Every structure is written in structure tokens, then in C-alpha cells.
Amino acid sequence: MKALIIVADVSYKGEYSMAVQALRQLGMEVSTGLVSKSVNVNFDIDLTGGLSEGILSNYDAVIYIGGYWAYYASTGKEIPGRIKPMVNKEVFEEILTQSVNGGKTTILPLATPAYAAKLGLLKGKKATVYPTTDLITILRNNGVEYINDNFVIDGSIITLKKVTVESLTKALSK
């Protein structure tokens, strides 16, 4: 199996590295795609300039690493200057939409479920999110049933309250 990690922001400590570790532990071949010019990780695909057609066809699963950017982008709050990533939002949203609508195993940790909910991608689904009142409210206001579990699987969408190697491997093994 092949997994693609889409990285917008790595400011939330350990989110990216634990995702890589969990996916590799499950025997997946892992590639990383960047949608931000300010992220400093090894990557295979540069998506900062745009999305190439059919990019997802080579992957079985896609995980979205949004860091603090996803929280601020979801809530509309002002991003503190010290963590202002230069994210290509259009590409992030397009690949996220393709992933969900195409039925790919789509893994949304921390604040990214709220971001997807605001795009209307989780309407009528069950999901979890990093447990802050504003993120839970975003889910509920966008037709998503909030479940207070470490991870929630609804069809091909996996949402995670937090990223740990254990919770991600457990969710992907179901």
C-alpha cells in the first residue's frame, strides 16, 4: 500500500513524524507532498505551485498534516506572525476534495476535520477533532456529528483527535 502525506504546516510538534512512523510501521510506502513553501521536511512532490492531474491515483491513503495553520484557517482567527506558513490553500482544498470525493482513505488529524467540514466534505458524517470548543462547534455547524473518541472512521474518512503512532496504526488496521 502507498500513502501520501500532504503537509501544510509542521508547527504542531510530532504530528508529521508520528504519521510517517505509523504509516511505515504498517508497511506502507510513504511519499510526502508539500503545499507550503515554509515547511522544512524532506519531500517527494512539490505542490506549492499547483496540482498535477491524477496525483492521487498512485496512492491508497492520504493524510493531511495541517499543524496550527489548519486551526487558524478553520476558525478564521488571526495567525500569529511567528507561525505564518505560506500555504497554497487552493491546492490543499482541491486535493482534499478529490481525496474525500474519490473515496480514498482520507486521514484527517487534529484541526483538519474542522477544515474539511467547513468545505462541506464531512456533511452527514461522524468525526472527531482536536477537542476545543471552536473546532467542535465548526463540525456541528457544518452538519457533522461530533464523536469524542481518539479516532472515528466513517466510510473512507478517518478523523483523529490527536496524532500518536498507536492511534493511527489502530485506526488504519480496522
Side-chain angles (χ1 to χ4, degrees), residues 52-168:
S52 38
E53 198 167 315
I55 186 113
L56 294 179
S57 62
N58 298 324
Y59 300 96
D60 304 297
V62 188
I63 183 168
Y64 294 85
I65 304 299
Y68 289 114
W69 170 82
Y71 171 81
Y72 289 105
S74 297
T75 61
K77 294 179 180 178
E78 181 65 29
I79 299 175
R82 63 179 166 71
I83 62 163
K84 237 181 204 157
M86 297 165 31
V87 177
N88 186 328
K89 244 175 89 164
E90 293 75 28
V91 169
F92 186 84
E93 290 176 5
E94 189 177 333
I95 199 163
L96 178 56
T97 301
Q98 285 180 19
S99 175
V100 171
N101 292 343
K104 292 279 180 193
T105 297
T106 302
I107 306 154
L108 304 170
L110 301 166
T112 54
Y115 195 94
K118 282 186 88 169
L119 294 174
L121 298 173
L122 302 181
K123 192 172 189 84
K125 297 203 174 284
K126 294 176 182 174
T128 193
V129 69
Y130 187 79
T132 65
T133 303
D134 46 2
L135 294 176
I136 294 167
T137 300
I138 289 169
L139 289 184
R140 289 181 173 152
N141 288 346
N142 287 280
V144 181
E145 183 183 341
Y146 170 70
I147 307 291
N148 187 17
D149 281 337
N150 286 333
F151 65 88
V152 173
I153 302 170
D154 190 328
S156 62
I157 299 171
I158 300 170
T159 53
L160 297 141
K161 183 187 294 189
K162 59 185 178 177
V163 178
T164 65
V165 173
E166 181 186 359
S167 64
L168 192 50

